[in-house]
Amino acid sequence: MQEAMIKRAKELLADGTVNRVMGWKKGEFVYDTTPAVFETAEELEKEFVCNDFTQANLSKYLIKESRKEGKILAFLKPCDTYSFNQLLKEHRIIRENVYVIGIPGGPKLDMEKIKAKGISGILDVKNENFTLKIETLYGTETMPFYEAVSGKCADCKSKKHVVYDELIGEDGDVLASRRFDMVEKLENMTSQERYDFWRGELSKCIRCNACRNVCPACTCENCVFDNPKSGIDQKAAADSFEENMFHIIRAFHVAGRCTDCGECSRVCPQNIPLHLLNRKFIKDINSLYGEYQAGADTTSKCPLTDYDTDDCEPSIVHERGVE
Amino acid sequence: MQVNENFEPVIVAFCCNWCSYAGADLSGTNRLNYPTNVKIIRVPCSCRVNPIFILRAFQRGADGVIICGCHPGDCHYTSGNYFTRRRITLLYSMLDFLGIERNRTRLEWVSAAEGAKFAAVMNQFTEDVRKLGPNRRLEDLRCRKQ
Amino acid sequence: MFRISAEKLNDLFDRIASKQTLYIPVDREDKAAEYKKYESGMTLSSALNTVRSAKDFFFPQTENLAEFRLSGKTIEVKDIRSEHEDFVIFGVRACDARSFGILDSVFLSEPVDTFYKNRRDHGTIVTMACTRPEETCFCTTFGINPTMPGGDVSVFPDGTGYSFLANTEKGKEFMAEISDMLEEGNPAQLAKVQENTRNILKRLPLANLKTDSFGGERLMKHFSSEKWAELSESCIGCGTCTFVCPTCQCYDIRDFDTGNGIKRFRCWDSCMYSDFTKMAHGNSRNSQLERFRQRFMHKLVYHPSNHEGEFGCVGCGRCLSKCPISMNIVKVMKALEDK
Amino acid sequence: MNNDTLIPLVGVVTDVRQDTPDVKTFRVNALEGGKVFEHKPGQCAMLSIPGVGEAMFSITSSPTNKEYMEFSIKKCGCLTNWLHAMDVGQQITIRGPYGNYFPVETELKGKDLLFIAGGIGLAPLRSVINYVRDNRANYGEVQIVYGSRSKDDLVDYQEIIDEWMADPNIQVNLTIDNPQEGWDGHVGFVPNYVKELAPSTNKTVLVCGPPIMIKFTLAGLKELGFTETQVYTTMELRMKCGVGKCGRCNIGNKYVCKDGPVFRFDELDALPDEY
């Protein structure tokens, strides 16, 4: 796969279709790949990488990159194409300046899941027939591939590319995923249990803003939490209320626009399952206002900027009963 | 659940200028009683109520938040309250998801002619919140009155 | 040197906790480690390090500085400081132990930060020697010896127990309190463990990283390097690296209106944030390149230049494993070093 | 427990003077009278209204003034708007003094001095000018070049006329950017005026004003034959905590709030171009 991508990128650079390539760059280890822009064939040859750990969603970078001189080639996984499409719809990316090559998605691996197995000092990871062979400082370890699959890939919603100029590999289909299972499980808990669950999770938050800054739906020029005039700007959560506030408002602000790419949970240094908040909104929207997948197209109206005169009343929340 | 009968909840009511705010007025001129716990904040349309407002009300000591707007179809700005309805439904559902007691939040449609309804809604809501006791799950400890 | 067997470790914790507050690293549900206030029955984490560093104990993410009451034209300032209670942090690794020295050089230099000093005076640091370093470790680059972790008391695990060594007066007092629970050490067994660790340290993938190319005298060269553009291009400007870093100490001072007074608090801030240097005159670091450069220049050049060559990094590897886009100080050093 | 510099003291505003349409000068005393603290010429203090904001201002009164401190403040943001709206008797919190100061007792002693200021840039220099006037025997010739957008924007105009210009031992040159009715003095930008005046190159220069003015003035001075070791400036704008710990104001490895705000230009030249 990586070779095919490098080959095609070099061709497109050579024939002048594009002047830059957006992809991932090798790091110190097998897993620390960094999104990067490549300008020459030599750079591609030397540093370009696409492996089991190239998880980062490149779509958000294209906001800035598509405003630069010339055209850029971007390799997008299926989930990334949804983000890309959503950004197109919001007029954040200049489509003419991006050449999209769809590449097959994951499942990608999450190093934290490997480390959570107690495997440390990792030097290399190889996938041999869905068994990971892991070279470490302390000898070779093995573990099943699927136990190391990252959270965002385990709940994959679609292997279909919703936008591309060309494809490398086959296009897939929208999957019948079980991504709402955890949301449902929480919904079935008592209010107190849910409260305890979220307090436990959100109290880990260090307000590093990684979830916000990586989110392809969070593209405000000046975030309300950075704006002193908003009256709610905060640098750190000085009280548990501010932890709740930040995550509720952030999830609400991307509701209807969140494509469920899972980047927020991936980057969280404290492993807070932030995607559950977004999925709750998606699930509610689907069940109350009809199935909707943000980023699936560039024309439909976002459910929160739309309405139906027959919409349900907010009292349906209260009809769930009093506890 | 232990109910403290002496607990006086703080209720924040966001009222649309064109209907429920006038409805509150009407209930007053008709000498209908509604609890003094209710603090009314007038907004140009129920649609003006940003989710941040609701959370801020809880942060600064509200035990319950109610939004009152024009009946669907009657919005002064044609469609504002339809947007409110979607937005607030999702927000309340999210607060519920985070374990905030459902009965601390409410939305009611009250027209300018429904003074009696306004008083009844406020009485009912205040009682519901009184039963829940003070807001502890979504408060800012720094703002708690000593 | 005195020793306690592994089975008795929790008895020791119970003893310490009965006298003062004790914090130990424990495993969370997601297998990441964090410092928790010790309660009977907790198990010491086997993880190499905690996600959040131990700096939190002396320089917490938020802390109140003062309170104000305003009425009419008068302002009343309330000093809310009080003597901090004594506490013990157990299981600090060598890298974090060194970071306290770096924080000291900032907070204890004139004018002394009394909030920090108060905590520092009341904290006893019990360090833990490393036996299983991770691939992300590079503390040896900064002259740290993870088999001799320092602190007030050093603890050396040998597989079946832990040996204790007091390094300071405070450490000796701590040892005196627990001496009856300790038995004679086994230097031979310990030496073997240390030898083993030293061999692993030599094999670490980052073992050859050197600081020779950095320091105050390289200020202009590194500042004007062309590499910064490439290094910073994919930085998303979050504060993850800063907040997990044991030596990052930049802060912001803010006021919060509680409705019945003003609380002035200090909280962590990150030089990676776009509004970090937004002051009365505008913003002196407008691009992510400048902000990114500031962070690494501070650690590798400015800090050594102002503090007798001591670098502002301890090689704990947290930023390596936590950066959302895997850009980190090691990559920066490798890009900038003299070839 | 020792005092902490981050916990402010309370001062009271005892006089407010409208200097220009957007600059007011505030006189601050300690609650029990007298000064809140002593300072050196060129140092700064952190003023704050809790809940509104906290910002660094240069102390514009001279240390030789033993009764009060003064701050000339231009209205430009949240806190300064608030300060401009307050009346006499209002209390404010104050902490400091912060930063280094003009070396009036060492390097500047016995020298001929040339002060160049633009607009509100007079504020930090006024402290030095008045200090020099009160210790006149210690210094040689003193010349002041001060310019502003218009006559109305000249800060401390009354004091300049009444005291500085009346002082035979000081040469004062005023200029405004554009011609104006009722103004018979010089018209033109400060850097150009300095070149026209062609001061003797054995003077030591203290310059403060908008960055663009400083830039062109420095270029002009170099043309006249001045060297960078003769020119001082101050840059208190960037400060936040005042104690060299919060990590904002550094230019290279120098912290403006501890190593500055007063810098000699050759010191600035040794630092990266980040100001």
Side-chain angles (χ1 to χ4, degrees), chain C residues 73-75 77 81 106 109-111 114 219-220 223 249-252 255 264 269 276 285 294 305-306, chain D residues 2 4 7 10 48 50-51 54 88 91 239-240 243 245-248 250 252-253 255 258 270-272 274:
Chain C
K73 287 181 172 176
T74 64
I75 297 175
V77 182
R81 291 175 301 166
V106 175
S109 68
E110 280 301 320
T114 57
L219 198 151
M220 284 308 203
F223 188 89
Q249 100 318 303
C250 293
Y251 60 77
D252 194 2
D255 287 351
R264 178 162 293 172
D269 203 347
F276 181 66
R285 293 180 206 123
Q294 162 66 19
S305 130
N306 292 339
Chain D
N2 294 333
D4 193 288
I7 301 175
V10 179
S48 160
E54 193 176 37
V88 169
Q91 296 183 354
M239 291 190 221
K240 165 87 187 177
V243 291
K245 305 190 199 297
C246 84
R248 275 174 187 73
N250 66 309
N253 60 343
Y255 283 91
K258 267 183 105 174
L271 297 173
E274 217 187 6

Side-chain angles (χ1 to χ4, degrees), chain B residues 71-144:
Chain B
H71 285 270
D74 292 348
C75 179
H76 184 79
Y77 307 99
T78 321
S79 56
N81 54 4
Y82 286 124
F83 292 109
T84 312
R85 189 158 64 177
R86 281 204 169 185
R87 225 178 266 168
I88 298 301
T89 306
L90 290 176
L91 179 73
Y92 286 179
S93 182
M94 175 53 75
L95 292 179
D96 175 37
F97 187 63
L98 288 166
I100 314 303
E101 302 94 332
R102 284 166 199 149
N103 275 5
R104 289 200 190 281
T105 51
R106 190 153 303 176
L107 181 138
E108 291 288 344
W109 311 123
V110 181
S111 79
E114 294 174 325
K117 182 176 179 187
F118 185 86
V121 162
M122 291 304 159
N123 278 310
Q124 183 57 49
F125 186 56
T126 308
E127 281 321 300
D128 288 350
V129 176
R130 195 194 304 276
K131 275 184 209 144
L132 289 173
N135 163 33
R136 289 284 173 261
R137 293 187 186 172
L138 203 55
E139 76 168 337
D140 193 320
L141 276 174
R142 296 170 298 176
C143 297
R144 197 189 272 191

Side-chain angles (χ1 to χ4, degrees), chain D residues 149-258:
Chain D
R149 275 173 306 184
S150 71
K151 184 185 163 216
D152 305 321
D153 288 308
L154 289 166
V155 179
D156 287 314
Y157 189 49
Q158 214 50 49
E159 182 178 345
I160 294 172
I161 302 253
D162 294 349
E163 298 192 26
W164 298 357
M165 290 178 103
D167 190 336
N169 291 322
I170 297 181
Q171 185 193 343
V172 181
N173 300 92
L174 298 180
T175 179
I176 60 173
D177 290 356
N178 294 302
Q180 190 182 6
E181 218 169 288
W183 178 260
D184 51 3
H186 186 273
V187 174
F189 293 122
V190 172
N192 299 336
Y193 191 31
V194 172
K195 267 197 271 180
E196 280 173 41
L197 291 167
S200 127
T201 52
N202 56 21
K203 288 185 177 179
T204 302
V205 187
L206 288 75
V207 54
C208 186
I212 191 79
M213 184 209 98
I214 295 184
K215 191 178 156 196
F216 282 104
T217 305
L218 187 69
L221 288 170
K222 278 190 191 161
E223 273 177 45
L224 290 171
F226 284 87
T227 60
E228 275 145 345
T229 50
Q230 281 174 281
V231 188
Y232 293 82
T233 189
T234 173
M235 31 194 7
E236 84 279 0
L237 282 167
R238 307 161 63 106
M239 291 190 221
K240 165 87 187 177
C241 73
V243 291
K245 305 190 199 297
C246 84
R248 275 174 187 73
C249 65
N250 66 309
I251 303 170
N253 60 343
K254 296 279 186 237
Y255 283 91
V256 172
C257 65
K258 267 183 105 174

Side-chain angles (χ1 to χ4, degrees), chain C residues 94-95 98 130 133-134 136-148 197-198 200-211 311 313-317 333:
Chain C
C95 44
R98 167 71 69 88
C130 300
E134 291 260 20
T136 51
C137 290
F138 57 108
C139 60
T140 50
T141 300
F142 300 100
I144 297 169
N145 179 357
T147 60
M148 291 299 282
T197 311
R198 273 193 290 272
I200 297 164
L201 288 173
K202 280 184 217 143
R203 292 195 290 122
L204 290 181
L206 302 177
N208 295 323
L209 191 65
K210 291 279 178 293
T211 56
F311 288 92
C313 175
V314 293
C316 69
M333 286 171 78

Side-chain angles (χ1 to χ4, degrees), chain C residues 130-325:
Chain C
C130 300
T131 53
R132 267 180 83 94
E134 291 260 20
E135 78 279 8
T136 51
C137 290
F138 57 108
C139 60
T140 50
T141 300
F142 300 100
I144 297 169
N145 179 357
T147 60
M148 291 299 282
D152 294 313
V153 177
S154 307
V155 177
F156 306 90
D158 57 26
T160 56
Y162 302 88
S163 300
F164 287 68
L165 181 68
N167 302 318
T168 62
E169 279 308 311
K170 214 191 246 178
K172 282 178 189 145
E173 280 170 39
F174 174 85
M175 288 280 279
E177 299 261 329
I178 57 168
S179 57
D180 59 311
M181 300 186 77
L182 303 176
E183 58 207 48
E184 204 53 44
N186 183 347
Q189 190 179 359
L190 184 61
K192 230 172 89 188
V193 172
Q194 285 182 326
E195 180 57 32
N196 191 22
T197 311
R198 273 193 290 272
N199 283 334
I200 297 164
L201 288 173
K202 280 184 217 143
R203 292 195 290 122
L204 290 181
L206 302 177
N208 295 323
L209 191 65
K210 291 279 178 293
T211 56
D212 303 350
S213 314
F214 303 94
E217 64 280 8
R218 310 294 182 93
L219 198 151
M220 284 308 203
K221 174 177 178 276
H222 288 317
F223 188 89
S224 49
S225 169
E226 286 165 5
K227 302 266 174 54
W228 293 113
E230 194 190 331
L231 288 167
S232 65
E233 73 179 358
S234 50
C235 176
I236 60 172
C238 73
T240 307
C241 50
T242 323
F243 290 176
V244 297
C245 178
T247 68
C248 269
Q249 100 318 303
C250 293
Y251 60 77
D252 194 2
I253 297 173
R254 298 189 151 231
D255 287 351
F256 178 79
D257 188 346
T258 64
N260 43 24
I262 309 284
K263 274 187 165 48
R264 178 162 293 172
F265 65 100
R266 159 160 80 187
C267 61
W268 293 353
D269 203 347
S270 171
C271 54
M272 293 291 204
Y273 288 166
S274 55
D275 57 353
F276 181 66
T277 46
K278 203 167 165 192
M279 309 301 313
H281 71 305
N283 198 339
S284 53
R285 293 180 206 123
N286 274 309
S287 66
Q288 196 59 34
L289 184 153
E290 291 165 288
R291 298 189 279 267
F292 184 91
R293 178 173 62 191
Q294 162 66 19
R295 180 159 193 275
F296 296 103
M297 286 295 281
H298 189 187
K299 298 219 178 297
L300 298 171
V301 177
Y302 304 155
H303 200 275
S305 130
N306 292 339
H307 298 98
E308 289 143 18
E310 184 179 47
F311 288 92
C313 175
V314 293
C316 69
R318 286 187 176 89
C319 53
L320 274 69
S321 55
K322 288 299 173 188
C323 175
I325 53 125

Side-chain angles (χ1 to χ4, degrees), chain A residues 105-283:
Chain A
K108 301 282 181 190
L109 302 180
D110 182 355
M111 194 37 105
E112 302 239 333
K113 289 207 171 171
I114 298 176
K115 290 192 173 172
K117 290 267 171 201
I119 300 172
S120 66
I122 295 160
L123 302 173
D124 196 16
V125 180
K126 280 203 181 70
N127 175 11
E128 287 175 2
N129 284 326
F130 296 104
T131 300
L132 292 182
K133 227 179 126 200
I134 304 158
E135 293 297 333
T136 80
L137 288 164
Y138 309 100
T140 309
E141 308 257 7
T142 56
M143 72 180 280
F145 178 87
Y146 282 101
E147 286 179 19
V149 167
S150 76
K152 69 185 245 182
C153 291
D155 291 335
C156 182
K157 62 179 180 293
S158 170
K159 294 219 171 268
K160 182 173 142 67
H161 295 84
V162 289
V163 54
Y164 57 84
D165 293 307
E166 67 178 82
L167 281 177
I168 292 183
E170 301 266 303
D171 202 6
D173 294 312
V174 176
L175 306 178
S177 98
R178 306 186 56 80
R179 60 181 168 139
F180 297 121
D181 285 5
M182 186 59 194
V183 177
E184 225 160 84
K185 194 178 151 200
L186 281 164
E187 284 172 345
N188 292 331
M189 289 180 180
T190 65
S191 171
Q192 181 70 47
E193 285 167 346
R194 277 199 299 274
Y195 177 75
D196 294 340
F197 172 83
W198 282 111
R199 208 73 292 289
E201 292 295 345
L202 295 182
S203 64
K204 294 191 289 192
C205 176
I206 56 172
R207 266 315 291 279
C208 64
N209 290 320
C211 50
R212 179 189 77 184
N213 290 13
V214 81
C215 177
C218 269
T219 59
C220 293
E221 295 283 328
N222 190 359
C223 176
V224 68
F225 290 102
D226 283 349
N227 181 359
K229 289 195 176 110
S230 72
I232 56 157
D233 63 319
Q234 1 163 308
K235 275 274 168 65
D239 188 275
S240 62
F241 172 84
E242 290 192 329
E243 290 158 0
N244 289 335
M245 172 87 147
F246 176 74
H247 291 291
I248 296 173
I249 295 301
R250 207 190 78 75
F252 192 86
H253 194 192
V254 300
R257 305 187 300 121
C258 166
T259 63
D260 199 9
C261 74
E263 284 285 275
C264 45
S265 295
R266 174 181 75 84
V267 301
C268 181
Q270 290 280 51
N271 304 332
I272 304 172
L274 293 166
H275 63 280
L276 292 178
L277 295 174
N278 301 322
R279 280 195 189 150
K280 168 66 178 166
F281 276 126
I282 296 172
K283 184 169 178 285

